[in-house]
Amino acid sequence: MLNPAQTAEAISGSMEHKAHTPMMSVVFLAIMAGAAIAMGDIFWAHSTVGMAEKQSIGMANFIGGITFSCGLMMVVFYGGHLFTSSVLSGVSAYDGKVGIEKTIAYWVVVWVCNFIGGALIAYMYYYSGLPFKFDAYILKHFVPSGIVKVTDPFHELFIRGIFCNVFVCMSIWTATSESNLSGKFFAIMWMIGAFVACSMEHCVANMFIITEAIIAKAHYIAAAGGDLDAVAKMLHVSVDGLKELTWGNFLWKNLLPVTLGNIVGGLFFVGLVGFMANKFDMKKNA
């Protein structure tokens, strides 16, 4: 196991490598990462069907968090480029290994390609018929979840985004320090499970969840012949809430504050603090 200073050096070197990866590889691996997180969301949704209503909300949150963690495991063990962990490349920029312009360009490409991957899985999932299982329990629950995510206050979403990416980047930091597979597995499982169980906000997970919510909304409106009141009554939401669930609100009222929060949480609260705190020991190891 690496000590904190060695881990900080390893993170800097790893993120430098990621930022310098050929663009075509970044595109494919970022799409894969967005898809992997979406598939973790699917595992979470299917694993908690009816659990909150029939057993306990806390247990549903716990099981959902643990199951969702498989998404990040897929990313880490396959070598994907995920926006929330890729913000750690800012450490390499601070260390002078990567230019700030290249770092920001890398973030933009990864964010966009994560969105492509997540949205692609959302449409594939809908047309697979899987969300219609259990009397369409899963599809119905995406709509109220999406409404909450686009109507909660900016500052709350921003702070939840900070909390979320502290857990995500700490899981990457800890997994990097571990040399064996089981150590990496548990580092990812517990920390990712924590942010999901606590309802924190992950921009890439939301790329799937809210896309699926918009798809579900369109499905139920079409089925009801355009009657929003009937859809609202069936899904136990308000008509105003349904009207708020749009692509524009998705981007500006959710992804904007959550993405900014993820950057602050991952880069500043974990990456730069960890790097600067261990700078002295890193110099001694050099």
Side-chain angles (χ1 to χ4, degrees), residues 115 118-119 122-123 206-216 247 250:
F115 202 154
Y123 279 94
N206 287 351
M207 291 169 182
F208 167 80
I209 293 170
I210 304 178
T211 298
E212 195 68 39
I214 292 172
I215 293 171
W247 289 106
F250 175 17

Side-chain angles (χ1 to χ4, degrees), residues 40-62:
D41 276 317
I42 293 171
F43 189 17
W44 152 71
H46 283 256
S47 298
T48 56
V49 170
M51 186 176 289
E53 297 91 337
K54 297 177 181 178
Q55 295 182 33
S56 106
I57 295 174
M59 185 56 67
N61 289 340
F62 177 76

Side-chain angles (χ1 to χ4, degrees), residues 5-125:
Q6 291 169 328
T7 303
E9 288 181 302
I11 289 287
S12 179
S14 171
M15 290 300 157
E16 177 190 7
H17 173 74
K18 279 183 171 288
H20 284 119
T21 300
M23 184 58 66
M24 190 57 65
S25 295
V26 172
V27 167
F28 282 122
L29 290 172
I31 291 173
M32 169 269 159
I37 294 300
M39 294 177 77
D41 276 317
I42 293 171
F43 189 17
W44 152 71
H46 283 256
S47 298
T48 56
V49 170
M51 186 176 289
E53 297 91 337
K54 297 177 181 178
Q55 295 182 33
S56 106
I57 295 174
M59 185 56 67
N61 289 340
F62 177 76
I63 296 298
I66 296 302
T67 53
F68 173 82
S69 68
C70 80
L72 190 65
M73 291 180 196
M74 292 166 67
V75 174
V76 170
F77 298 139
Y78 193 75
H81 290 247
L82 182 67
F83 178 79
T84 44
S85 56
S86 292
V87 299
L88 287 172
S89 60
V91 171
S92 302
Y94 172 81
D95 201 23
K97 295 178 178 178
V98 183
I100 187 66
E101 298 86 358
K102 186 171 184 63
T103 300
I104 293 174
Y106 170 65
W107 288 359
V108 171
V109 171
V110 171
W111 191 95
V112 170
C113 291
N114 283 172
F115 202 154
I116 292 170
L120 176 63
I121 294 299
Y123 279 94
M124 291 174 65
Y125 179 55

Side-chain angles (χ1 to χ4, degrees), residues 179-238:
S179 58
N180 61 79
L181 184 62
S182 61
K184 294 177 184 293
F185 176 89
F186 283 106
I188 295 170
M189 183 181 73
W190 287 117
M191 294 186 201
I192 299 306
F195 99 71
V196 177
C198 297
S199 301
M200 295 165 187
E201 294 284 329
H202 187 284
C203 67
V204 182
N206 287 351
M207 291 169 182
F208 167 80
I209 293 170
I210 304 178
T211 298
E212 195 68 39
I214 292 172
I215 293 171
K217 170 189 168 182
H219 168 85
Y220 286 112
I221 289 176
D227 187 344
L228 287 181
D229 289 316
V231 174
K233 184 177 180 180
M234 179 177 62
L235 300 179
H236 306 291
V237 298
S238 67

